[in-house]
């Protein structure tokens, strides 16, 4: 490109002051904050994203009615975006929830938690599964596992496993109870990232399914548990597209064990 305006020289190469830069000096792209791992689409979401699409720092994500998006974050966390939600990606582990609801699964405690900013406060995880919902004048935080800290201009709160904390503009916090297997979490399971079952044991799969559904995993005997540990699935087995409950029914129908659901437990026993 010919430069006709004023410019300067850098290592012998003239740079125009009118906005042209050599490729070597162009501003680097923002870092990748997440990749798309699952899509629920009832509109135009799949026109913008596909599985494996990269989302970078500085971008915004929005969903309409009937849509949902599951993201795998840069450090391995799962972030799930419910319908009618607007989210801005401020960093690889920092987000602003403009409206709607998100769910995060960050695993066990790690240094430096995931941060979600809202108009009414900032939510920081301490190794947990939790949801954050922001609507007009209301911040709702539900903790499925672990603990989150919530801070606004005047107060700091902590919400722990089984608690649901609600902040309203100009009012104090209200705390209630919410079981890990409550129907409230059903939308989260629909957006669960697919478990790669190939070359993994039945026990690994059962732990994943139990955690995704908020239930405690129990066996009828140590022998059954050892049997689940010893069964490894070949590459040909896949649960792509299935929810955790659907995958549980499908996989166990092919094994020598079966299951039953007892409230907050999934019970595994021999046939």
């Amino acid at each position: 490109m010919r430069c006709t305006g004023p410019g300067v020289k850098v290592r012998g190469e003239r740079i125009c002051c009118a906005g042209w830069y050599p490729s070597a000096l162009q501003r680097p792209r923002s870092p990748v904050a997440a990749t798309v791992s699952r899509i629920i689409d009832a509109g135009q979401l799949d026109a913008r994203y596909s599985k494996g699409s990269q989302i970078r720092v500085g971008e915004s994500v929005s969903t309409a009615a009937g849509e949902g998006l599951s993201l795998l974050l840069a450090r391995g966390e799962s972030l799930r975006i419910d319908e009618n939600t607007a989210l801005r990606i401020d960093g690889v582990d920092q987000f602003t929830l403009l409206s709607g609801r998100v769910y995060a699964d960050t695993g066990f405690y790690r240094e430096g938690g995931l941060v979600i900013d809202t108009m009414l406060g900032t939510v920081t995880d301490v190794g947990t599964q939790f949801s954050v919902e922001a609507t007009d004048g209301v911040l709702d935080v539900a903790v499925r596992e672990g603990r989150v800290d919530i801070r606004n201009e005047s107060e700091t709160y902590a919400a722990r496993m089984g608690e649901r904390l609600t902040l309203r503009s100009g009012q104090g916090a209200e705390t209630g109870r919410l079981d890990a297997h409550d129907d409230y979490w059903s939308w989260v399971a629909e957006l669960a990232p697919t478990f790669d079952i190939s070359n993994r044991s039945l026990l690994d799969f059962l732990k994943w399914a139990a955690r995704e559904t908020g239930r405690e995993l129990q066996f009828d005997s140590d022998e059954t548990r050892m049997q689940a540990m010893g069964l490894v699935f070949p590459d040909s087995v896949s649960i792509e597209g299935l929810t955790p409950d659907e995958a549980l029914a499908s996989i166990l129908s092919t094994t020598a064990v079966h299951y039953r659901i007892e409230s907050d437990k999934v019970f595994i026993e021999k046939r």
Side-chain angles (χ1 to χ4, degrees), residues 3-21:
C3 178
T4 57
V8 297
K9 285 189 175 182
V10 177
R11 296 181 180 178
E13 185 169 8
R14 190 169 182 234
I15 303 175
C16 294
C17 297
W20 175 84
Y21 299 90

Side-chain angles (χ1 to χ4, degrees), residues 4-268:
T4 57
V8 297
K9 285 189 175 182
V10 177
R11 296 181 180 178
E13 185 169 8
R14 190 169 182 234
I15 303 175
C16 294
C17 297
W20 175 84
Y21 299 90
S23 59
L25 296 180
Q26 287 179 352
R27 180 179 296 176
R29 298 182 69 184
S30 299
V32 174
T35 56
V36 175
S37 59
R38 194 163 193 163
I39 300 172
I40 294 177
D41 176 45
Q44 300 298 317
L45 198 60
D46 61 357
R48 288 178 284 152
Y49 303 106
S50 60
K51 186 175 180 180
S53 294
Q54 294 182 336
I55 298 177
R56 296 180 177 273
V57 173
E59 294 183 19
S60 294
V61 176
S62 62
T63 57
E67 298 178 342
L69 202 62
S70 180
L71 305 180
L72 179 65
L73 302 186
R75 296 202 289 183
E77 308 97 326
S78 173
L79 184 67
R80 305 172 203 181
I81 304 171
D82 199 9
E83 63 178 355
N84 298 317
T85 295
L87 181 75
R88 188 179 68 228
I89 291 85
D90 300 322
V92 294
D93 56 5
Q94 186 156 359
F95 306 84
T96 296
L97 180 61
L98 303 172
S99 62
R101 182 168 60 171
V102 298
Y103 171 88
D105 183 348
T106 64
F108 300 103
Y109 175 81
R110 61 180 175 80
E111 185 177 355
L114 201 70
V115 177
I116 299 176
D117 288 316
T118 74
M119 289 292 291
L120 289 182
T122 298
V123 182
T124 304
D125 89 275
V126 188
T128 186
Q129 296 173 312
F130 67 103
S131 70
V132 181
E133 183 172 7
T135 56
D136 292 339
V138 180
L139 171 61
D140 186 270
V141 180
V143 183
R144 201 178 196 184
E145 179 182 278
R147 190 192 91 210
V148 296
D149 295 332
I150 304 103
R151 177 176 50 83
N152 60 19
E153 294 180 351
S154 58
E155 299 287 345
T156 298
Y157 307 92
R160 293 172 173 80
M161 178 178 176
E163 292 183 342
R164 184 174 182 178
L165 186 143
T166 302
L167 282 172
R168 290 181 171 82
S169 181
Q171 302 180 30
E174 299 175 4
T175 303
R177 298 294 303 172
L178 185 66
D179 291 333
H181 62 285
D182 191 273
D183 288 342
Y184 171 88
W185 304 105
S186 60
W187 72 275
V188 171
E190 293 178 1
L191 283 169
T194 299
F195 181 76
D196 185 2
I197 200 171
S198 61
N199 298 310
R200 301 290 295 274
S201 72
L202 175 59
L203 180 60
D204 290 335
F205 165 74
L206 291 171
K207 287 180 177 179
W208 168 81
R211 191 168 190 269
E212 285 290 350
T213 56
R215 301 185 182 110
E216 180 185 352
L217 178 62
Q218 290 191 350
F219 293 86
D220 64 348
S221 68
D222 289 340
E223 181 183 355
T224 303
R225 183 182 182 89
M226 292 299 293
Q227 184 178 354
M229 186 184 301
L231 175 57
V232 177
F233 295 98
D235 292 339
S236 58
V237 177
S238 173
I239 55 173
E240 183 74 31
L242 300 181
T243 67
D245 277 333
E246 291 169 344
L248 191 62
S250 175
I251 288 298
L252 291 192
S253 69
T254 67
T255 70
V257 299
H258 68 100
Y259 76 101
R260 67 176 188 271
I261 303 298
E262 297 182 353
S263 183
D264 61 342
K265 298 178 177 61
V266 54
F267 195 72
I268 309 299

